[in-house]
Amino acid sequence: MLHCLTDTPSPVSNWIMQLRDVNIQKDSQRFRNNIRRISHTLAYEIGKSLNYKNIDVTTPLGTAKCDVVSDSIVIASILRAALPMHEGFLDVFDNAENIQKSLEIG
């Protein structure tokens, strides 16, 4: 299934515009931050297709039923350039396994 984040206007449209703008993309920190914010949105959308289980959680007011991810998630990036996206996914899937592989070239 293909899901295009720019089919519907949203904050993602603005972040992608900033990634593409030749003047704004010179700001490395903003570029990395926008990649990370887009990754949050991608992870959220992917999360909708995962499997969930219902658990009981004890709260100060009693017991609440909550849905939690039941799939095992592994997040892996191969290139250093993917680190902002990798970190964005880890922000959303905080129980995911974390794999980072750096390729030596030369």
Side-chain angles (χ1 to χ4, degrees), residues 1 3 5 10-12 15 35-52 67 69 71 73 75 85-94:
M1 176 162 98
H3 182 76
L5 294 176
S10 73
V12 173
W15 303 331
I35 293 291
R36 190 173 181 149
R37 296 190 307 184
I38 291 168
S39 301
H40 289 157
T41 306
L42 286 171
Y44 173 81
E45 291 297 329
I46 290 169
K48 292 178 182 178
S49 66
L50 298 176
N51 294 308
Y52 289 82
D67 293 318
V69 175
D71 290 328
I73 300 171
I75 300 171
M85 183 167 274
H86 187 98
E87 292 168 356
F89 272 75
L90 287 175
D91 288 343
V92 175
F93 299 119
D94 51 1

Side-chain angles (χ1 to χ4, degrees), residues 6-105:
T6 57
D7 282 350
T8 304
S10 73
V12 173
S13 303
N14 190 58
W15 303 331
I16 290 175
M17 177 278 299
Q18 291 179 14
L19 292 176
R20 292 176 173 164
D21 187 293
V22 294
N23 296 311
I24 297 175
Q25 67 181 220
K26 293 176 186 175
D27 180 349
S28 299
Q29 182 62 35
R30 187 188 298 188
F31 189 89
R32 285 190 301 273
N33 191 45
N34 283 334
I35 293 291
R36 190 173 181 149
R37 296 190 307 184
I38 291 168
S39 301
H40 289 157
T41 306
L42 286 171
Y44 173 81
E45 291 297 329
I46 290 169
K48 292 178 182 178
S49 66
L50 298 176
N51 294 308
Y52 289 82
K53 64 181 175 183
N54 193 272
I55 63 169
D56 290 331
V57 175
T58 303
T59 75
L61 300 175
T63 302
K65 295 203 175 290
C66 297
D67 293 318
V68 295
V69 175
S70 61
D71 290 328
S72 295
I73 300 171
V74 177
I75 300 171
S77 61
I78 297 171
L79 301 175
R80 190 175 72 105
L83 288 180
M85 183 167 274
H86 187 98
E87 292 168 356
F89 272 75
L90 287 175
D91 288 343
V92 175
F93 299 119
D94 51 1
N95 290 324
E97 292 294 324
N98 180 17
I99 301 173
Q100 292 182 358
K101 177 70 175 162
S102 182
L103 295 178
E104 300 283 331
I105 298 176

